[in-house]
Amino acid sequence: MKALFNHLKFSRILIGDWILFFAALLLVIFLFKTYWHVESATKLQIRQGDKIYSTLSLNQSRTLLIHGPLGDTKISIQNGQVRFVSSPCRNQYCVHQGWLRHSGQVAICLPNQISLELLGADKPFDSLNY
Amino acid sequence: MQINTTLDDHRVAKLAALAIGLHLLESIMPSPLPGVKPGIANIVTLFVLYRFDFATAAWVSLLRVFATSLLLGNFLSPTFALSLGGAIMSLGVLGLAQYLPRPYFGPVSLSILAAFAHMIGQLMLVRLWLIPHAGLAYLVPLFMAAALLFGLINGIVTSHLLAAYPKPAD
């Protein structure tokens, strides 16, 4: 304990310095919490073609079949997440997207003209260009 | 033409040369993220603020910014603007922070405050002028964490330097 005290004295950090350091540390932690916060989504918006098919709560367990130009696409909602389960399209990109859970995430099946978008309290940018 | 120089001018020149050397040394070090740098030249600024006065520290800091940019060839470029903006902001904060009660607040406090001011100044310049993009906010915590870390280290180094080189009785 004495050794630690001597060490602290040797480091020449005064009491005000400690206070200021911890205040600054709190500020940095606050910044991380604010800017690196990923919001869980609460709602799911399904688009079919050029119209909104439906907006559903993610707080349910449900499987949907949505009809598109190629056939039926199967979507599953579970534990606040959603995914394409199967799709009649060739590339299966939408199925490979897997589970979506964060607000702003999107999965699109272009061939069958169906898209899923997760919504949260506020809508983050889905794309930015400059 | 002859410029008459005083002893003070020589002192400022010597200290600025030291700061320029440190800044150049740092400029060849690789950085994980543009903008994240230890800022070891600020140790000189802080040392001078304690050993001499604020005016000398301001001279040393600003001379360092101008001279280094000329040596590195980025005078009047965005890099130079960021460097100058950071230096002006941290000098402004140091100008106020030097009046904090000395028994409680040492070089470590001033160093952390100056590092924060430096980073905030640069981020504002970047946001308003160079990259007016909301996505920049994502990097703010990283930059501020780096400023805290390097501000702390530079402050401790300055304290030790001040103790190792006591004020000469002149």
Side-chain angles (χ1 to χ4, degrees):
Chain A
M1 193 63 208
K2 193 151 186 277
L4 180 71
F5 184 74
N6 279 338
H7 181 76
L8 288 182
K9 216 170 155 185
F10 179 70
S11 70
R12 296 176 202 287
I13 305 180
L14 305 173
I15 182 78
D17 294 337
W18 280 112
I19 295 169
L20 193 124
F21 171 74
F22 282 110
L25 191 66
L26 279 179
L27 176 75
V28 170
I29 292 170
F30 171 78
L31 286 173
F32 269 106
K33 288 216 158 191
T34 316
Y35 288 118
W36 282 26
H37 170 72
V38 193
E39 198 193 358
S40 308
T42 52
K43 267 188 262 172
L44 161 70
Q45 193 168 74
I46 304 170
R47 279 170 189 272
Q48 180 191 39
D50 56 354
K51 31 180 220 302
I52 294 171
Y53 175 81
S54 79
T55 304
L56 303 163
S57 164
L58 276 178
N59 193 16
Q60 58 182 326
S61 223
R62 187 166 166 188
T63 307
L64 292 114
L65 278 178
I66 300 161
H67 192 71
L70 298 181
D72 284 344
T73 290
K74 197 170 169 189
I75 288 160
S76 166
I77 305 173
Q78 217 175 76
N79 305 322
Q81 309 176 94
V82 66
R83 72 169 297 160
F84 280 101
V85 177
S86 66
S87 168
C89 59
R90 194 166 61 86
N91 294 318
Q92 301 283 304
Y93 291 141
C94 52
V95 177
H96 290 144
Q97 280 262 58
W99 290 105
L100 313 177
R101 58 183 72 84
H102 301 308
S103 165
Q105 277 186 311
V106 178
I108 301 169
C109 183
L110 282 179
N112 212 19
Q113 298 182 16
I114 290 166
S115 77
L116 310 176
E117 183 180 4
L118 295 191
L119 309 172
D122 46 25
K123 186 178 157 79
F125 302 106
D126 55 358
S127 79
L128 291 161
N129 54 69
Y130 165 61
Chain B
M1 194 176 96
Q2 171 93 38
I3 300 173
N4 290 316
T5 52
T6 64
L7 216 58
D8 276 354
D9 296 337
H10 291 215
R11 191 169 61 196
V12 166
K14 266 188 218 162
L15 293 162
L18 189 63
I20 292 163
L22 288 175
H23 191 140
L24 288 177
L25 205 68
E26 191 177 89
S27 70
I28 59 167
M29 286 202 292
S31 161
L33 194 67
V36 174
K37 294 218 157 192
I40 45 178
N42 294 313
I43 295 171
V44 180
T45 310
L46 212 55
F47 183 86
V48 171
L49 176 65
Y50 270 88
R51 194 50 85 233
F52 305 105
D53 55 4
F54 179 72
T56 315
W59 266 112
V60 167
S61 178
L62 294 175
L63 274 176
R64 191 253 305 165
V65 169
F66 278 85
T68 322
S69 76
L70 287 173
L71 287 169
L72 292 174
N74 57 24
F75 181 56
L76 296 185
S77 75
T79 317
F80 164 76
L82 287 177
S83 192
L84 184 63
I88 289 172
M89 277 292 280
S90 65
L91 280 174
V93 166
L94 281 178
L96 296 173
Q98 60 174 331
Y99 299 111
L100 284 171
R102 288 286 163 97
Y104 305 111
F105 294 94
V108 174
S109 290
L110 264 62
S111 179
I112 292 175
L113 287 171
F116 267 35
H118 195 275
M119 202 52 102
I120 290 168
Q122 293 195 328
L123 284 171
M124 277 182 359
L125 260 183
V126 170
R127 179 69 180 82
L128 296 174
W129 174 41
L130 296 170
I131 313 172
H133 188 310
L136 195 72
Y138 189 71
L139 292 174
V140 167
L142 278 184
F143 281 129
M144 294 311 270
L148 177 59
L149 175 69
F150 293 128
L152 177 69
I153 294 171
N154 290 347
I156 294 173
V157 171
T158 309
S159 312
H160 283 273
L161 281 176
L162 285 166
Y165 298 94
K167 197 167 189 155
D170 53 350

